[in-house]
Amino acid sequence: MNLEFLLVDGKTAGVKYISAQLVPVKELHAFTLDGSVHQRAKSYDVLLKAQIDRIIPAMKEAYIQLRIEGKPVNEESFHKAVDQALWSYAPAGVPGVDREETLRERFQRFVDEICRSGKLSVTNQKQWKVLNNKLNRYLRVKDVEFMGVGDFTQEMILEFEKFIRDEYLYAESPKYAAIYPREEYLTFPNSQLGRDTVRLMMKLFCSFWDALLEAQEITESPSSGYAETLNKPPRQIQQLFGGLLALKQEDFQRVLSASVPERLLAIRDFFVLQCMLGMKEKDLQLLTLDNVSVSRGIPYVHYVPLSRLEAKTSQKRRRKILEVKVPLVRAAYDIVKRTGLRFDVPLQAYNSLVSQLLRHSGVDREVELYDASREEVVVLPFCDAPQMNLAQRSFLFMLLKSETGEDSYWDGSNSIDMLYKISKGPLPAYREKLNKVFCQEGFKVNKTLTLISNGKSVEDVPIVYIEESDQVSYTQKGHPYPISTLLPMAGRKMNPEARVDVQKMVCRHPERPVRIFGNQYQEFIENIAPNERELIEAGLLLISRLPELPETLVTNLGEGLYVMDTDFKGHEYTTFFCVDGDELIVLWCEYMRDHSRRKKKLEKVSVSARACLRSYLEGRETTRLYDNLPASALDSAMNTYCVQILYRAVAKAGYSIEEFANKSEIYYRVWDRNRLGNWILRLKNLCRIMEALDLRAVILRPE
């Protein structure tokens, strides 16, 4: 609710002043009717108290001024007078004005003084000015712009640190557009600041409070408890000598058999395969099915470690680089067949994901580690310990323990040399060791990696790569698919079939509600051809069913505004929408007549769409449910939008349709007929198109 104040003159009911600030009702329970803190309140919102203390004196001043000037005191005149009193304070130090200097003014004066002293370099002066701007924006965001120096608390120090680190979230929000105006000469953070940058800013800010404390302007510094944490060096965890940080056999079996959330299934396949092959993350990510071979019914992986390829050795040594060979045990074989060695695991989040996987699997035994920065031994759960190269260390640790029967005190060095040494032995004996280590049974496969028993093939897991008939109609039993992502391969050589990554399409249930804002979209959609209208609605239906907005179908224009492009026989339409929680709000739709001027037209139309977005955020009009989306057209939409994405990719690569047909050796009519949604583009043709464009497509298959 809005923060409301009532001014009473004696026993006569006065006038109200309603602040624009929204306050949770439960926060008001800590205050009495006169704005003071209740005696029984255990805690209260410090920023809210500062806001109350600022408004009440302004109300008294405005009321007295209106009485002196003989003006009528009504809600309109009183509201205007209070606003003027709040935002038109005279600067501190002006004769005749008895007012305490605000924190904003005191910090500005401090920055001006140290910059004029001549003791700071140009770079340091810029750092202080940047910090000054950040403090001003923080005070405006928190609506405490006229806070006094003594009102800043230790809790606000932590809030200010968080604000510095995550200011980009405020800069992107339309709610704070007045604080972050979109001007060409102004720049604001567009991503999270790094740890070192935040640390530097907070050191400067704490030095300001130290200077005030030294000058006896304040009796207690709000940064006194925080400054100690800045001086502590970061933790540098190292493993103790003789205490190798690696998974034991019982730990690995927990990971292999544990029930984990769906979001951790990909990292479990990746990590388990790493442990069974003794590979590093980058080596496994570069692995393809071409690296899998069969010898006497035993499947094995052969590869050259990336560290050896990148080593700056002599040409003579480089010619002698050998491949590492590791046989596949049954669990590893199942993962290879199920995934095709294509994993959706971001390496930048690898350590965090592995830590979560180990925690869900119950691998939380305590380990002793050495903190070099504090020169002390610390005890951590295994899942929270450093996970760098954990899979390779665990592979060698478990293998050596199975041979010696006791824990190995190998220090983890020369791991690649040990892998080379182990792989020199006979392949059958090597596989028997791994079967013993990972508690797996023996099996055999043929040259196509199909399980065999007594010379006959055995049914295996379903093949992920399914070829479609060239004549399958979407009205018959088929497998239409949308393209969710197009990835550039930068000239990397790969198997043509690996150009298409087939993933399971998990539809939202229930689907994302679609609502219409305003009248423009409804009026526009009713005046176009039925086929074109159905295709636009089918696109919205497709977006509402997918768990995430596909980047190939939707473009993010920033500030919460998205656009979906729809092509139909040379006619192009753009549909603007936003996402509010779990709802999709359609704002605007426009016909893009001239392709050559599409960019200028899009900029012009987006102005109207942004105006609709602002109106929606301000709640000027209500929305209504879009309840007549054609659910039967979903398969057709998948086929049509698949072809539209390919047309745009070809145009982006700089080819005409005829030029690209010659390059890919696919007559464009083979996939152009899918434009109306009646045909499914065969996967082998999609692979050839991706190979000609040097891209990799991620497609989603409905179950």
Side-chain angles (χ1 to χ4, degrees), residues 428-695:
Y430 193 1
R431 190 178 71 162
E432 289 301 321
K433 292 181 182 179
L434 295 184
N435 284 338
K436 179 182 177 182
V437 170
F438 299 114
C439 303
Q440 301 290 308
E441 297 181 356
F443 68 101
K444 287 187 177 183
V445 298
N446 58 20
K447 294 296 183 180
T448 61
L449 292 180
T450 303
L451 285 173
I452 56 176
S453 176
N454 298 326
K456 297 181 180 180
S457 298
V458 181
E459 290 188 6
D460 198 9
V461 294
I463 300 175
V464 176
Y465 191 88
I466 304 174
E467 190 64 71
E468 299 293 348
S469 170
D470 198 24
Q471 302 297 323
V472 174
S473 170
Y474 78 93
T475 57
Q476 301 172 1
K477 185 179 179 181
H479 296 82
Y481 54 84
I483 300 176
S484 66
T485 311
L486 290 177
L487 303 172
M489 290 291 102
R492 176 181 165 189
K493 293 183 179 180
M494 58 192 311
N495 192 325
E497 289 188 356
R499 293 279 179 176
V500 175
D501 185 5
V502 183
Q503 297 183 3
K504 182 174 65 174
M505 177 178 172
V506 181
C507 293
R508 297 176 64 97
H509 184 74
E511 62 268 15
R512 192 195 306 267
V514 182
R515 306 185 71 88
I516 302 175
F517 177 77
N519 299 320
Q520 190 275 340
Y521 174 81
Q522 191 65 36
E523 294 174 356
F524 178 86
I525 207 76
E526 290 176 353
N527 294 321
I528 62 177
N531 288 342
E532 299 170 0
R533 171 180 178 173
E534 182 177 335
L535 191 56
I536 294 174
E537 292 177 336
L540 294 174
L541 179 66
L542 180 58
I543 295 174
S544 69
R545 291 290 181 86
L546 295 176
E548 303 291 341
L549 298 179
E551 59 185 34
T552 52
L553 185 60
V554 174
T555 303
N556 187 355
L557 299 181
E559 300 180 1
L561 185 64
Y562 299 89
V563 62
M564 178 189 71
D565 295 326
T566 304
D567 298 332
F568 185 82
K569 296 183 178 180
H571 299 271
E572 182 175 349
Y573 299 90
T574 55
T575 306
F576 296 86
F577 65 92
C578 68
V579 178
D580 186 1
D582 202 38
E583 294 182 337
L584 190 147
I585 312 299
V586 182
L587 302 171
W588 198 273
C589 191
E590 193 72 33
Y591 173 51
M592 310 300 287
R593 192 179 304 275
D594 191 349
H595 289 273
S596 61
R597 299 181 180 178
R598 182 185 183 280
K599 185 176 181 180
K600 292 184 178 179
K601 180 69 177 293
L602 183 62
E603 293 177 354
K604 183 178 179 180
V605 176
S606 63
V607 174
S608 302
R610 291 185 190 280
C612 280
L613 177 60
R614 286 193 295 270
S615 299
Y616 170 73
L617 294 174
E618 294 170 0
R620 298 180 187 175
E621 298 182 36
T622 59
T623 61
R624 57 189 180 279
L625 186 64
Y626 203 162
D627 54 1
N628 58 343
L629 291 176
S632 60
L634 181 61
D635 291 351
S636 176
M638 291 185 192
N639 300 331
T640 303
Y641 282 100
C642 174
V643 176
Q644 292 182 23
I645 291 167
L646 296 178
Y647 267 96
R648 294 187 196 121
V650 169
K652 186 177 180 180
Y655 296 108
S656 66
I657 296 300
E658 291 75 12
E659 291 173 345
F660 183 73
N662 295 330
K663 178 180 176 61
S664 62
E665 298 180 355
I666 301 178
Y667 186 47
Y668 77 95
R669 290 292 181 187
V670 172
W671 47 294
D672 182 71
R673 62 185 174 184
N674 299 274
R675 184 179 281 273
L676 299 181
N678 296 329
W679 300 88
I680 299 172
L681 179 64
R682 298 181 66 184
L683 287 183
K684 73 173 186 180
N685 290 334
L686 179 60
C687 292
R688 292 167 63 185
I689 293 171
M690 291 296 101
E691 188 173 20
L693 292 173
D694 196 19
L695 297 173

Side-chain angles (χ1 to χ4, degrees), residues 90-310:
V94 176
V97 178
D98 184 15
R99 182 173 64 81
E100 181 184 357
E101 191 175 24
T102 64
L103 173 61
R104 180 171 61 102
E105 294 166 343
R106 184 63 186 92
F107 193 80
Q108 178 68 59
R109 185 158 62 88
F110 180 80
V111 173
D112 293 340
E113 289 173 356
I114 60 175
C115 289
R116 286 196 302 265
S117 65
K119 298 179 180 180
L120 298 181
S121 64
V122 176
T123 302
N124 289 341
Q125 292 182 27
K126 289 182 178 179
Q127 291 171 350
W128 276 104
K129 291 177 181 178
V130 168
L131 179 60
N132 184 36
N133 294 334
K134 287 185 178 295
L135 179 61
N136 287 336
R137 293 195 293 267
Y138 167 76
L139 295 175
R140 291 186 64 187
V141 165
K142 299 300 181 181
D143 202 12
V144 288
E145 191 174 2
F146 296 99
M147 171 186 286
V149 176
D151 297 331
F152 205 83
T153 63
Q154 291 183 347
E155 291 78 9
M156 293 181 183
I157 289 281
L158 299 176
E159 279 192 2
F160 185 50
E161 179 195 9
K162 184 179 179 181
F163 176 83
I164 292 176
R165 183 174 59 250
D166 299 327
E167 189 182 4
Y168 74 102
L169 298 175
Y170 298 92
E172 293 176 354
S173 175
K175 181 179 179 181
Y176 304 104
I179 303 177
Y180 300 92
R182 296 294 181 257
E183 303 290 347
E184 294 183 358
Y185 58 90
L186 295 177
T187 57
F188 300 108
N190 54 12
S191 61
Q192 189 179 69
L193 290 187
R195 173 183 172 181
D196 293 338
T197 305
V198 176
R199 189 182 179 87
L200 174 62
M201 290 284 182
M202 293 306 296
K203 276 192 173 182
L204 296 180
F205 191 56
C206 290
S207 66
F208 160 73
W209 293 105
D210 293 341
L212 295 187
L213 188 63
E214 185 178 355
Q216 297 183 354
E217 294 186 29
I218 56 176
T219 58
E220 185 179 358
S221 171
S223 65
S224 57
Y226 180 81
E228 295 180 0
T229 62
L230 289 178
N231 298 325
K232 293 181 181 179
R235 303 180 71 178
Q236 300 175 4
I237 302 296
Q238 299 175 359
Q239 58 194 50
L240 290 173
F241 176 76
L244 181 65
L245 192 64
L247 290 175
K248 297 181 180 180
Q249 286 180 314
E250 55 269 24
D251 297 330
F252 179 78
Q253 292 301 324
R254 287 196 186 98
V255 176
L256 190 62
S257 59
S259 176
V260 299
E262 186 175 354
R263 61 184 178 84
L264 296 178
L265 292 179
I267 186 62
R268 180 168 70 174
D269 286 344
F270 189 86
F271 182 70
V272 166
L273 191 58
Q274 266 190 282
C275 292
M276 290 183 168
L277 297 178
M279 299 180 69
K280 293 183 178 180
E281 301 86 58
K282 291 185 178 180
D283 289 329
L284 181 55
Q285 200 172 49
L286 295 175
L287 214 63
T288 66
L289 291 177
D290 295 335
N291 298 97
V292 182
S293 300
V294 180
S295 174
R296 297 181 181 180
I298 300 176
Y300 66 95
V301 170
H302 53 91
Y303 69 101
V304 177
L306 188 62
S307 58
R308 288 298 170 92
L309 289 175
E310 295 177 347

Side-chain angles (χ1 to χ4, degrees), residues 52-71:
I52 294 174
D53 293 343
R54 186 168 70 93
I55 293 178
I56 290 178
M59 291 174 60
K60 295 179 180 179
E61 179 183 342
Y63 181 75
I64 294 172
Q65 190 66 26
L66 288 175
R67 285 297 188 186
I68 292 174
E69 295 176 358
K71 295 180 179 179

